[in-house]
Amino acid sequence: MAANLRDRVRRLLQRPGTANLSGYQRLLPAIKAAGDSLAGLPDEALPEVAAAADEAGFCAAGREAASRALGQRPYDTQLLGALVMMSGSIAEMETGEGKTLAGALAAAWYATRGRRVHVMAVNDYLAQRDAEWMGPVYRALGVSVGFLGQASEPTQRRAAYAAQVTYAPVSEIGFDVLRDRLRTSPDGPDGRVVPEPDVVLIDEADSVLIDEARVPLVLAGAAEAGSTDLRIAGIVRKLRRGLHYEADDEARNVQLTDAGARAAEAALGGIDLYGGAELDVLTRINLALHAQALLRRDVDYIVRDGRIELISSSRGRVAQLQRWPDGLHAAVEAKEGLTGSESGEVLDSITVESLVRRYPLVCGMTATAVTVGDELREFYGGLEVAVIAPNRPSVREDRPDQLYATLADKERAVAAEVLAVHATGRPVLIGTLDIAESERVAARLAVDGLPAVVLNAKNDAEEAAIISEAGTRGAITVSTQMAGRGTDIRLGGRLGDGGLVAGLGGLHVVGTGRHWTERIDHQLRGRAGRQGDPGSSVFFVSLQDDLVLSHPMGDGAGAAEPGPGGRVDDTRSRRAVRHAQRAAESANLEIHRNTFRYSTLIEEQRRVVLEHREQVLCGEAAITDLARRCPDRYRELAAEVAPGVLEESARQIVLYHLDRGWTEHLAVLAEIREGIHLRGLGHGPNPFIMTLDPLSEFHAEAVKRFRRLLEEAGEHSAATFETAEITTAGIDLDGADLNRPTATWTYVVQDNPFGISAVTAGRRLRHLLHDASG
């Protein structure tokens, strides 16, 4: 009764996840009745029935299609999840509850209504796996399905997008959109690839819409061999924290002290870093300092085959095609003594948030969305979350956190826990925070005679095979991250002795520390106890964990004396852990908001440019404008060149200068943003206090510089039109110096490391005032 009253109050307050499912639940009897009538229907008649049916009738047809095609009859809970997505919301369904099939039924519903559906996955593997796995269901319902990935050729991409339902990684759809924005022909083999956006269904919705939305997707051109500044890296390597530099509490920013500046100036021959003439050197030192002090090998990145590969903080795996801004990336390469990777100018970029907001209808599924429900509403136009109860109640035992004073105490306790559980024959999954910890834990277990299989970013290609065995009797699996891996751990694994393992107590999950968001903790716990299976989970935390040290409560009180084995169990220590996680979540929310604030104005400017570009690409805007600007030249060429040839020549001229202008505008905005933050990181006793509002300064500069972008593109186009060689065969692009990059490359770039939000600056101010008063 109390729970029902609490739910009603939460619904009254419109809290995330409180959507009333009673309307969908009332459809379940109608779905069952409709399904009974489909049992004898021939296969070839099912698509017609599905296309003509209402929601209940379609769900019945979808259930029948899944039963025939996969031998899986969707549970009522899966149908409820599908109905939620069919209504344009996010369905929260626990791990192991069959989200993939529920999502396929929702996508097929939209397709049979004449809608075009893109199913966004977090990586190539899941896009291909789910498209192939669900393919028989789609075909049974008369719906075509395709998928594309990083290695897909243009013809394969066109074929995939031509299907009614297209599975693809979110990054690849974004890259295709960016490439389409630079097409110089509206159709044909060189024309646009991505159709007009319609419906997007997002798998792992919280990861895509919240975690990945903090970084933009980038299209670059004119790539050149990169260079690394080994001299600067060598100077910075000798600097010492606390003496030569300081970092802020979130370890997001680092700054030279007076002693550090003097040491760097002396090492560089006595220059004045802050005199104005050495701004470039100061920037390179700041970048090298960030790389040295804040970015950690086997935590933030790995070195493999002579290259830096970034680790996704939200998924614990290699982030394919991801890099930091060129200067910082080169600084990390110099830190590791590597040859510089290629670099080039940014032709265009788009945030995941802007990519998703292009679609008129957004829906999706995940196991953890309620805790970011307010953010989904804030950033995605009121997108709502509905929670689907599990098909079978969870019987997993979630033990309270085991808290220890030191990292060493914690890791000893983890080893003892694994040893005790392994002795019972139960499989154990150990979720670690980073690669270094995963390898350290596995090595310690090996010393204790407990061989473990390690799954981290260094061997994530073996993921499916490792996970398939993680539920077998006696298995010990160490993984850096389970979020977004898309594979359930089945008790018994491939041996099929699930009943035996269940009788022993099922899978035991051990977390070696709290993650930066509670959502990832829940995703790790959710690997045990799927579909009513037995299981258990426990997290081991230390007061020396990075999360706790990076986000202290700051009240000056110390922890209680540790007990035997370093165990800590006082109220304040537990509050410190909870505070640290909440503070980390708040910091990441502020990063998201900061990205949104900076990108909003750029997106509006991009919209104006793209509307003009569309008129040029598909209409007569180019020749009309050039005829107005250059009447004599136009009359001269019109007398000699066929109208179609002249129009196409004008189009290529204007498109080149429009794209060139936008590229240069983005470069200037990037310099402005970085420069504003570097000015904010002033030299002096309080280096982290912002002396200006970076966002307002950025907006003022961006608006001022954009005012003349289209006019300047027109002026440059007119100058080229006056002098370019245009014959009956068309324009000589090389002769007119209208060469575009011979190759383009794509990557995902981390946000500017120097971005300090007002919240962070304010927090730093409070700490400084506290220190001064103490």
Side-chain angles (χ1 to χ4, degrees), residues 423-478:
T424 70
R426 294 178 63 188
V428 180
L429 172 67
I430 307 168
T432 62
L433 300 174
D434 54 58
I435 295 172
E437 186 178 48
S438 71
E439 295 178 342
R440 193 168 63 245
V441 168
R444 183 182 185 90
L445 293 176
V447 170
D448 294 337
L450 299 174
V453 178
V454 179
L455 173 58
N456 60 34
K458 292 183 178 179
N459 67 340
D460 56 9
E462 305 166 30
E463 174 179 328
I466 293 173
I467 294 299
S468 68
E469 297 300 311
T472 58
R473 181 177 181 179
I476 302 175
T477 307
V478 181

Side-chain angles (χ1 to χ4, degrees), residues 171 175 178 211-220 252 310 319-330 344 346 348-352 591 595 670 673-674 745-753:
S171 58
F175 292 146
L178 290 175
D211 302 335
E212 304 298 328
R214 297 195 302 268
V215 294
L217 287 69
V218 174
L219 178 67
R252 282 270 299 163
L310 275 63
Q320 297 294 336
L321 294 178
Q322 187 162 326
R323 59 184 287 139
W324 293 291
D326 284 340
L328 179 58
H329 205 86
V346 173
D348 202 357
S349 66
I350 186 172
T351 62
V352 170
I591 294 171
T595 302
R673 182 177 178 187
E674 183 169 304
W745 52 299
T746 55
Y747 59 90
V748 181
V749 61
Q750 291 280 9
D751 198 16
N752 191 315

